[in-house]
Amino acid sequence: MPTIKITKRAVEALAAQEKLIIFWDQDLSGFGVKVTPAGGKTYIVQYRMGGRGSATRRYTIGPDGTWTATLARAEAERLLRMAASGVDPQAAAKEREHAERELAFGPYSERFLADYGKRNWRQRTYTSAESNMRRWVIPFLSRKALPAITKRDLIELLDRVPATNPALPRNLFALLRKLFNWATERGDLERSPMDTMKPPAPVGARDRVLKDEELVVVAACAEAVGDVFGAMIRLLIVTGQRREEVAGMTWGELDRRLMEWSIPAARAKNGVPSTVPLSDIARGELDGLAGSTRWPRAGYVLTTNGKTSISGFSKVKLRLDKIIGRVLKREIDPWRFHDLRRTFATNMQRLGVRFEVTEALLNHSSGARSGVAGVYQRHVWKEEKKEAIRLWNDRLRTMIFEWESSER
């Protein structure tokens, strides 16, 4: 067996032979370079798992060019130490390949969503988690296997979230922590890389309430972002309900005769069904979407393709703010769609509506509807809610009239 001192220069000088030949290193027993008749050169290591009588095994380190002689020597030393300690490099490589194939983050995260998320989360929670996973997490971690993901990787992922979405890092942190805990519980991972990570600080409570002029301008300018999105924004204003609940509204939940919208438990954020009275303004919006005073019996109310409910709210919000800026001749103070709900609640107070009625309209499980009161207080405030919505409908019409008069 020919031997040489395996160095960069020595390997470059090796010429192709009539048949495959291995040149072994003079200093490191088991380290060699294989030269094919075509001139290809590949670094290898040869070792035994046992005593001198056991069979020899060979492990391919990699081709010259991808590996330098110096790096290949260091890798051979590592592999020979593994073999000496009783760990077969070939078996370890197969386990690593299996992990990279079976525990690749992209497919694994899909299994987590299907096997854990769909079984344990409400639909709204699942939809949000799936969206965050596909938009923010999978594109960044998809090329890594689960065991190879480090704390540094996760910190970098969270650091990439734009400052315009302050609540997202905490949501992503909770989602990833659940995934890694699930992986450890199943035995797919020995330890979560998030064990020593602290969650991002919570976002401070918001108190933004739109002024009357701002609210009217938002409603007026909403028309310019499209019929469907415009209707959604005005329905947020007149009903006080959550964005996802309004966006996912179906015709089957609506009753034009009773002027009611029944939100099922599966779509309510708190898992509690709710009945929302509809005002004249809301009825007008829904008639416009239906194209008739006869509403369909099924399907999404707010849809652009007839198959799914609307999405892409952030883009719509950016467009809306630009339009509002042109109308006001200045930038509107920062606001979110959820602020319309807070504005609704604040105006309920201004109109003298009882706190319990406002809580019932908002479908809150806090305050007057929590604790002992929540157990024994079963009055649903049906008539009181209708009266509150009527007052709000009249107040909105007055606000619109006053704004239009000031613009003339």
Side-chain angles (χ1 to χ4, degrees):
M1 295 186 295
T3 60
I4 61 171
K5 174 69 174 180
I6 296 179
T7 63
K8 180 177 183 295
R9 182 174 295 179
V11 172
E12 288 176 348
L14 294 176
Q17 308 290 319
E18 292 183 0
K19 60 180 182 179
L20 185 147
I21 188 169
I22 298 175
F23 294 87
W24 298 102
D25 188 67
Q26 294 174 351
D27 299 328
L28 182 60
S29 178
F31 177 42
V33 60
K34 179 173 60 178
V35 182
T36 68
K41 301 165 186 177
T42 303
Y43 298 104
I44 64 170
V45 66
Q46 183 170 283
Y47 60 95
R48 297 177 189 272
M49 294 301 298
R52 294 181 64 84
S54 59
T56 58
R57 303 180 186 185
R58 286 180 184 170
Y59 181 94
T60 299
I61 296 173
D64 182 53
T66 301
W67 290 82
T68 66
T70 301
L71 289 177
R73 179 183 296 277
E75 178 66 2
E77 291 173 345
R78 186 185 71 84
L79 294 169
L80 290 168
R81 285 196 300 271
M82 285 179 59
S85 66
V87 178
D88 186 350
Q90 286 185 349
K94 288 180 180 179
E95 288 181 9
R96 186 169 61 252
E97 290 172 2
H98 173 77
E100 290 175 352
R101 183 174 61 254
E102 297 296 321
L103 301 180
F105 185 84
Y108 195 89
S109 63
E110 297 287 355
R111 290 201 299 275
F112 166 71
L113 289 171
D115 295 346
Y116 181 87
K118 282 192 174 180
R119 295 177 182 178
N120 295 280
W121 294 333
R122 295 195 299 270
Q123 182 59 44
R124 184 179 182 278
T125 303
Y126 175 82
T127 300
S128 176
E130 181 187 36
S131 175
N132 285 339
M133 187 75 81
R134 295 189 193 284
R135 181 177 180 184
W136 298 102
V137 183
I138 292 177
F140 186 74
L141 296 176
S142 62
R143 295 185 179 182
K144 289 206 167 193
L146 214 64
I149 295 173
T150 65
K151 178 180 176 180
R152 180 67 252 172
D153 293 326
L154 301 176
I155 291 173
E156 185 177 349
L157 186 155
L158 297 177
D159 285 346
R160 291 162 65 95
V161 175
T164 53
N165 201 337
L168 183 58
R170 194 170 175 87
N171 293 339
L172 293 179
F173 182 92
L175 175 61
L176 286 165
R177 181 168 58 184
K178 179 61 70 176
L179 182 149
F180 285 112
N181 286 345
W182 185 71
T184 57
E185 290 168 3
R186 289 166 52 86
D188 295 330
L189 200 62
E190 290 187 8
R191 186 170 180 268
S192 168
M194 304 185 75
D195 282 351
T196 59
M197 288 181 66
K198 293 182 179 179
V203 178
R206 292 177 58 89
D207 57 5
R208 175 81 160 98
V209 173
L210 275 69
K211 300 172 185 175
D212 289 356
E213 179 194 37
E214 292 176 323
L215 194 63
V216 173
V217 171
V218 167
C221 293
E223 193 78 40
V225 297
D227 293 342
V228 175
F229 283 102
M232 182 204 78
I233 293 165
R234 289 188 290 273
L235 286 171
L236 288 173
I237 292 172
V238 300
T239 67
Q241 301 309 298
R242 300 175 179 92
R243 187 192 69 184
E244 296 299 330
E245 292 166 354
V246 172
M249 178 191 293
T250 66
W251 290 110
E253 297 169 357
L254 300 169
D255 190 317
R256 194 178 190 280
R257 183 180 64 82
L258 296 177
M259 289 288 285
E260 289 180 347
W261 170 25
S262 298
I263 304 176
R267 285 214 316 108
K269 181 179 180 181
N270 59 3
V272 177
S274 175
T275 300
V276 182
L278 297 174
S279 65
D280 291 342
I281 296 176
R283 178 175 57 190
E285 293 294 335
L286 294 167
D287 283 350
L289 290 166
S292 167
T293 57
R294 293 175 62 86
W295 295 350
R297 294 187 178 182
Y300 288 107
V301 176
L302 298 164
T303 178
T304 55
N305 59 15
K307 299 177 181 179
T308 59
S309 59
I310 55 175
S311 58
F313 307 112
S314 59
K315 293 181 180 179
V316 170
K317 175 66 165 47
L318 289 173
R319 287 169 52 204
L320 178 60
D321 282 347
K322 290 180 180 179
I323 297 166
I324 292 171
R326 291 197 291 269
V327 172
L328 293 177
K329 297 181 175 59
R330 62 173 175 81
E331 286 188 4
I332 188 173
D333 291 339
W335 68 286
R336 299 185 305 173
F337 284 131
H338 191 74
D339 295 332
L340 299 176
R341 182 169 163 85
R342 186 180 299 104
T343 302
F344 173 91
T346 301
N347 277 279
M348 288 292 109
Q349 185 179 17
R350 290 169 61 187
L351 292 168
V353 175
R354 289 182 59 167
F355 176 70
E356 298 92 336
V357 178
T358 302
E359 290 277 272
L361 280 167
L362 296 173
N363 195 18
H364 273 175
S365 297
S366 59
R369 303 177 72 196
S370 63
V372 174
V375 175
Y376 295 103
Q377 174 59 272
R378 294 304 182 187
H379 182 49
V380 295
W381 307 99
K382 182 175 181 179
E383 296 304 318
E384 293 87 346
K385 289 197 297 184
K386 285 184 177 180
E387 176 62 14
I389 289 295
R390 185 192 67 77
L391 290 172
W392 181 226
N393 186 83
D394 292 346
R395 176 59 188 152
L396 283 170
R397 290 196 183 282
T398 299
M399 289 161 55
I400 293 169
F401 175 78
E402 291 174 347
W403 180 73
E404 289 177 342
S405 297
S406 68
E407 291 295 301
R408 294 192 184 102

